[in-house]
Amino acid sequence: MNGGKRILLFCLAALLALSLCACGGEPQSGGAQVNMSQLQQAMLAADPSLQQMTSVTSEAADGETLFAYVSALPYDKVESFLLSYSSAGKADELAVIAVKDSKDVEEAAQSLRDHVQQRLQLFRQYGPDQAARVEQALVFTQDNCAVLIIADQSQAVREALEQTLSARA
């Protein structure tokens, strides 16, 4: 093989190696995708009083429409979400929004805080006994997720979320 062909092969190999490295960058979401169904089951199991919840995830056919109930975050920023809520007039509610890009996680958390304020206004009018529970809502971020927890055993639910998220990798 002559010198020109060797140089050409070397350049092609280097170009291939560089293009493969460019494709292997870190994901913008900050980690592995969240299995929302598994996460939802773990969170609900952490507080026995949450067993009578209505639950949906982004995998539902009308996921984008259902998402608008809990957040005004543009849906194109959402990787996946879960929502569990009481259909019995109680304030119980769980929501997790996994964003595609970790820079959007605080915007997602703010959308959940706004949702809590709307729920608080509603319960002050129609369910004053539940308003105090809404006032105790937890809204926080974990990795690329914004989280809302309104539950009797909110710390246990939070721990279940944290354990489930730390196990994905």
Side-chain angles (χ1 to χ4, degrees):
M1 193 182 299
N2 67 23
K5 285 186 178 180
R6 284 186 186 174
I7 292 173
L8 179 63
L9 285 174
F10 175 76
C11 289
L12 287 174
L15 183 61
L16 177 62
L18 285 173
S19 63
L20 289 174
C21 289
C23 293
E26 289 295 313
Q28 289 290 325
S29 64
Q33 284 191 340
V34 179
N35 180 327
M36 287 296 174
S37 296
Q38 179 185 18
L39 182 59
Q40 194 167 48
Q41 289 174 355
M43 292 173 72
L44 291 171
D47 184 343
S49 70
L50 300 178
Q51 298 308 309
Q52 300 302 317
M53 303 277 276
T54 300
S55 296
V56 297
T57 69
S58 50
E59 296 170 7
D62 55 349
E64 185 172 354
T65 302
L66 296 170
F67 179 75
Y69 164 78
V70 74
S71 176
L73 183 73
Y75 197 68
D76 63 346
K77 295 182 177 185
V78 176
E79 178 181 286
S80 57
F81 77 92
L82 69 80
L83 173 63
S84 294
Y85 57 93
S86 174
S87 53
K90 290 181 66 181
D92 296 328
E93 191 164 276
L94 307 175
V96 177
I97 302 169
V99 293
K100 293 176 182 175
D101 191 326
S102 58
K103 71 179 175 62
D104 296 320
V105 74
E106 186 51 43
E107 182 182 357
Q110 185 58 51
S111 75
L112 292 176
R113 287 183 203 98
D114 295 342
H115 174 72
V116 168
Q117 289 306 307
Q118 293 169 356
R119 299 283 288 163
L120 185 56
Q121 290 175 354
L122 176 76
F123 279 109
R124 282 182 177 155
Q125 288 182 328
Y126 299 106
D129 60 316
Q130 295 295 308
R133 296 182 73 235
V134 177
E135 289 172 346
Q136 300 300 312
L138 296 179
V139 177
F140 60 96
T141 62
Q142 176 85 26
D143 300 331
N144 68 317
C145 296
V147 182
L148 162 65
I149 301 172
I150 302 173
D152 290 336
Q153 297 180 29
S154 57
Q155 281 307 119
V157 175
R158 182 177 185 156
E159 289 171 12
L161 170 122
E162 290 171 347
Q163 288 174 358
T164 303
L165 290 180
S166 68
R168 72 179 174 138

